[in-house]
Amino acid sequence: AAGEIALRAKGATPPLVRAHRTDADGSFRFPRVPPGEYELVVLPSLGASHAKAVTVDKGDTREVEIDFPLAEIRGAVVRGDGSTPYAGLAVALAPVDGAGELSTDADAEGRFAFTHLAPGQYRVTLTRNGAAPLVTQVFAGTTDAPAELTLKYD
């Protein structure tokens, strides 16, 4: 899946850092990298990053594989009747054991999605003006299928 990846030089002053968005299939290129010790770092949109050490020799061209599947959470918000979409609600996502937060609004069909996440346990919070928030937890795993949930909100 497409995501962000960074190349960091170990021990360099100033540190050499390059970042790229990967292709849809997860592939990436860092051309003209000077010889040295580096870390390739997968940067999910939320959650912990994952690094792999890489040594680059002079004139080196290499393929490096990083096995770090990214997760996705998709959902739909419906009213208390269980079928009427609830559009426009604010939806926030935060890792249960970490920092950071992403937010979006439910679309006209009540749907929302968060992509390029590190696998893990997340807290989903629905809010609207003047009403108590609805908070639930969901696990976004490392399978090819996204975590999907339907939330009733009155």
Side-chain angles (χ1 to χ4, degrees), residues 3 5 9 11 23 29 36 43 62 64 68 80 85 96 101-102 148 151:
I5 191 154
D23 295 337
R29 283 182 65 109
L43 303 167
R62 67 174 55 208
V64 176
F68 187 68
V96 170
E101 180 176 282
L102 297 175
E148 297 201 33
L151 302 169

Side-chain angles (χ1 to χ4, degrees), residues 9 11-17:
T13 306
L16 169 69
V17 177

Side-chain angles (χ1 to χ4, degrees), residues 17-42:
V17 177
R18 295 185 194 171
H20 289 291
R21 184 135 186 90
T22 65
D23 295 337
D25 65 357
S27 63
F28 57 91
R29 283 182 65 109
F30 286 100
R32 297 180 302 281
V33 175
E37 299 289 322
Y38 296 89
E39 282 186 321
L40 282 171
V41 184
V42 177

Side-chain angles (χ1 to χ4, degrees), residues 56-118:
V56 176
D57 297 320
K58 186 174 182 174
D60 203 1
T61 298
R62 67 174 55 208
E63 226 174 85
V64 176
E65 192 167 307
I66 299 178
D67 187 21
F68 187 68
L70 296 173
E72 182 176 349
I73 296 172
R74 292 184 197 165
V77 184
V78 294
R79 294 185 183 271
D81 64 12
S83 61
T84 306
Y86 208 140
L89 282 178
V91 184
L93 183 75
V96 170
D97 61 355
E101 180 176 282
L102 297 175
S103 62
T104 189
D105 291 329
D107 69 11
E109 299 298 317
R111 295 179 302 223
F112 61 90
F114 296 99
T115 61
H116 308 111
L117 306 170

